[in-house]
Amino acid sequence: DAGVTQSPTHLIKTRGQQVTLRCSPKSGHDTVSWYQQALGQGPQFIFQYYEEEERQRGNFPDRFSGHQFPNYSSELNVNALLLGDSALYLCASSLVSTGGAGEQYFGPGTRLTVT
Amino acid sequence: AQKVTQAQTEISVVEKEDVTLDCVYETRDTTYYLFWYKQPPSGELVFLIRRNSFDEQNEISGRYSWNFQKSTSSFNFTITASQVVDSAVYFCALKSMKGNKLVFGAGTILRVKS
């Protein structure tokens, strides 16, 4: 049973550039959430996708956008990168039918460094 | 607004000691879930336990146990007979039953020395 996978593992970008991070959910899951974890802090919710639509969004600017594909995989796009966007980006998947009780399974993350 | 506070930034114990990680939360919701996650150096968050707000029964699962007290908005987590492999960052998280996002605390670094 494949767990949540993310690519790439590490990424280095320059200020002002754009980046795309990818996530494949755990087998059987239909919902994908993205979190940003700055060094020494807890993860912060960016947004969640279900049925290819954004269900809920955290306090992140419009530079952060996403997409979910028919196979439930997802992408996180960040435009006009800032130094402060350097963080570990975590993807989590869950099953919407389990409602609020369903735990979110996390991937290993993508470490983004902006120079 | 929801908030989770983990006052302990870092804890160091010697192997086989018991250790308790504190968590205090704030929410206006009457129904919610509380979670503990473990983050080893590899970075992946590993789910440990979940409790819902209407079940304050405390349980033990192997070396893990938790103490949920709604009256004090606390959800503490205890590891009995700690092992070196328990060394990681532990996060407490809160989720409304109506919402979709997890709200995490800042985490507690646990170092278990042999």
Side-chain angles (χ1 to χ4, degrees):
Chain A
D1 182 17
V4 179
T5 59
Q6 293 185 244
S7 63
T9 305
H10 295 87
L11 205 52
I12 300 175
K13 290 287 189 177
T14 304
R15 274 179 300 176
Q17 286 187 319
Q18 178 264 343
V19 68
T20 297
L21 310 181
R22 296 177 176 81
C23 171
S24 290
K26 178 179 168 64
S27 179
H29 283 183
D30 53 15
T31 302
V32 173
S33 302
W34 287 92
Y35 292 81
Q36 179 196 65
Q37 185 179 15
L39 196 62
Q41 298 182 22
Q44 299 289 318
F45 177 78
I46 303 175
F47 42 53
Q48 185 182 84
Y49 277 84
Y50 170 66
E51 290 189 333
E52 303 179 49
E53 292 193 358
E54 185 182 290
R55 294 181 79 194
Q56 187 175 358
R57 188 180 183 90
N59 294 325
F60 281 81
D62 292 343
R63 296 187 298 109
F64 290 78
S65 63
H67 188 76
Q68 186 179 34
F69 299 95
N71 66 352
Y72 306 119
S73 67
S74 177
E75 288 182 349
L76 164 65
N77 301 293
V78 187
N79 295 323
L81 285 168
L82 304 174
L83 294 179
D85 295 331
S86 295
L88 179 68
Y89 288 84
L90 295 163
C91 170
S93 73
S94 55
L95 193 56
V96 75
S97 61
T98 56
E103 63 239 35
Q104 296 184 10
Y105 288 81
F106 284 81
T110 294
R111 174 73 63 187
L112 172 64
T113 302
V114 181
T115 61
Chain B
Q2 297 178 317
K3 184 179 179 181
V4 176
T5 302
Q6 295 179 252
Q8 304 152 309
T9 304
E10 185 171 337
I11 301 175
S12 289
V13 299
V14 177
E15 208 170 17
K16 298 184 182 178
E17 284 185 7
D18 297 347
V19 58
T20 295
L21 308 180
D22 297 334
C23 173
V24 175
Y25 62 92
E26 296 175 29
T27 181
R28 295 177 182 174
D29 295 323
T30 55
T31 54
Y32 48 88
Y33 292 98
L34 294 162
F35 301 79
W36 276 97
Y37 280 87
K38 172 183 179 180
Q39 188 174 43
S42 62
E44 185 171 339
L45 281 166
V46 178
F47 166 80
L48 296 176
I49 56 175
R50 174 189 62 233
R51 300 303 296 173
N52 58 51
S53 55
F54 45 84
D55 182 2
E56 290 192 64
Q57 180 178 357
N58 295 311
E59 294 185 17
I60 297 174
S61 176
R63 294 189 299 111
Y64 297 157
S65 63
W66 47 96
N67 186 344
F68 174 36
Q69 293 194 359
K70 205 168 181 178
S71 59
T72 57
S73 297
S74 66
F75 184 50
N76 298 335
F77 176 64
T78 298
I79 302 174
T80 302
S82 59
Q83 301 174 1
V84 173
V85 293
D86 294 328
S87 297
V89 184
Y90 289 80
F91 290 97
C92 179
L94 168 67
K95 184 171 179 292
S96 167
M97 283 195 185
K98 298 177 295 184
N100 305 304
K101 68 176 184 180
L102 286 164
V103 176
F104 287 87
T108 296
I109 301 171
L110 175 62
R111 302 188 195 280
V112 182
K113 303 176 183 177
S114 59

